[in-house]
Amino acid sequence: MEFFKVHTEGVVATVAFSRPPANALSSAVLKELSSLLDELKDDEQVRTILLHGEGRFFSAGADIKEFTSVSSSDEAAALARAGQQVMEKLEQFPKPVIAAIHGAALGGGLELAMGCHIRIVAENAKLGLPELQLGIIPGFAGTQRLMRYVGFGKALEMMWTSEPITGTEAVQWGLANKAVPEEKLLEEAKALANKIAQKSPVSVQATIELLHAAKTRSFHEAVEQEATLFGKVFMSEDAKEGVQAFIEKRPAQFRGK
């Protein structure tokens, strides 16, 4: 691949985004990421994914030069929808995706990070949606996901001022799960990825589906889906192994079946 480097260690796939100097998102990058997700989805060895940026940034945003070739509202809308589809694919990915954020996650870079399930950030990282400085708005579902994480007022403040917040502030605002010193970022993120990977893939996938349902469906519909998935998961081989391991007081050996 041109923009992503994948290193699999055990059941964790570490994906490095590498497009110097700023890891800018372009149509080609999004297309390659979509293809990569398809490959990782089918890879039975991989249980969790860790996404980080090489160099100085996680991702400093969209490729602004690409914007200059857009000549109509319809074309611009199509560009936004293409990005939204990839972020949605990331958010609904059946395996946990953890973003390890250092340097900056701005604009499209933050939208990419918000598409991931969990965000671990360097304390000194910068996160923001500065699109209004360019006279545009976020287009990869950033307006929607940001509000769900930080609330209405904070989301407007971040977009209207175009000022980034630090990794430490991102945790305080609910945008990130944990802030750590930059030198410990990948170590902490890998530890979390390995910890999650020890859980039943069947159960993990079900929780991803259900939390997505909590955002997109009514409460009644979501809890009905929960009951249905509970029944399916309960009868899985992993559930039988988990119960037996608990009784025998030993670590469970889940197989994802």
Side-chain angles (χ1 to χ4, degrees):
M1 288 194 168
E2 184 178 356
F3 306 114
F4 295 94
K5 303 174 183 177
V6 182
H7 173 69
T8 301
E9 185 175 351
V11 293
V12 176
T14 299
V15 178
F17 179 19
S18 180
R19 191 186 181 216
N23 293 337
L25 294 172
S26 65
S27 297
V29 168
L30 293 172
K31 184 177 180 180
E32 185 172 289
L33 177 57
S34 182
S35 297
L36 175 58
L37 290 174
D38 290 337
E39 291 182 17
L40 293 173
K41 181 179 179 180
D42 294 334
D43 190 334
E44 295 183 357
Q45 179 183 347
V46 174
R47 291 192 180 181
T48 58
I49 297 166
L50 172 60
L51 175 64
H52 72 99
E54 279 196 344
R56 297 172 52 206
F57 305 107
F58 176 77
S59 172
D63 188 341
I64 304 301
K65 292 181 180 178
E66 194 172 57
F67 289 177
T68 61
S69 64
V70 176
S71 58
S72 70
S73 294
D74 287 344
E75 191 176 346
L79 178 67
R81 292 189 184 99
Q84 290 171 359
Q85 288 171 2
V86 176
M87 304 314 166
E88 184 75 4
K89 189 174 190 177
L90 191 61
E91 186 176 62
Q92 295 193 53
F93 197 69
K95 301 175 183 182
V97 183
I98 300 169
I101 302 168
H102 77 291
L106 302 174
L110 180 56
E111 290 174 307
L112 173 64
M114 288 192 292
C116 299
H117 299 125
I118 289 177
R119 283 154 297 285
I120 306 297
V121 295
E123 294 169 339
N124 61 352
K126 300 295 183 183
L127 296 82
L129 294 180
E131 284 86 348
L132 270 68
Q133 284 189 155
L134 302 177
I136 59 175
I137 61 173
F140 295 167
T143 60
Q144 305 306 299
R145 288 197 175 92
L146 183 63
M147 190 192 75
R148 288 170 177 166
Y149 286 123
V150 307
F152 187 85
K154 290 290 189 183
L156 287 177
E157 179 182 344
M158 285 184 68
M159 290 186 288
W160 285 352
T161 64
S162 297
E163 295 175 357
I165 59 175
T166 66
T168 301
E169 290 172 322
V171 174
Q172 296 169 350
W173 287 28
L175 184 55
N177 296 70
K178 185 177 183 180
V180 299
E182 184 172 341
E183 63 271 18
K184 293 185 177 181
L185 178 63
L186 287 181
E187 176 187 342
E188 293 276 352
K190 288 179 181 179
L192 178 60
N194 277 293
K195 186 174 184 178
I196 295 172
Q198 302 311 309
K199 300 297 187 293
S200 160
V202 176
S203 299
V204 168
Q205 181 176 345
T207 56
I208 292 172
E209 289 182 33
L210 289 169
L211 264 66
H212 185 72
K215 295 194 298 184
T216 59
R217 308 184 70 181
S218 70
F219 181 81
H220 176 75
E221 291 172 332
V223 294
E224 179 57 34
Q225 184 176 348
E226 179 183 85
T228 300
L229 282 176
F230 179 84
K232 291 181 179 179
V233 172
F234 191 85
M235 297 307 297
S236 68
E237 292 182 21
D238 275 1
K240 295 175 184 177
E241 163 63 11
V243 171
Q244 191 63 33
F246 179 82
I247 293 172
E248 297 174 1
K249 297 181 180 180
R250 61 172 174 81
Q253 300 296 319
F254 295 120
R255 300 173 57 199
K257 298 181 179 179

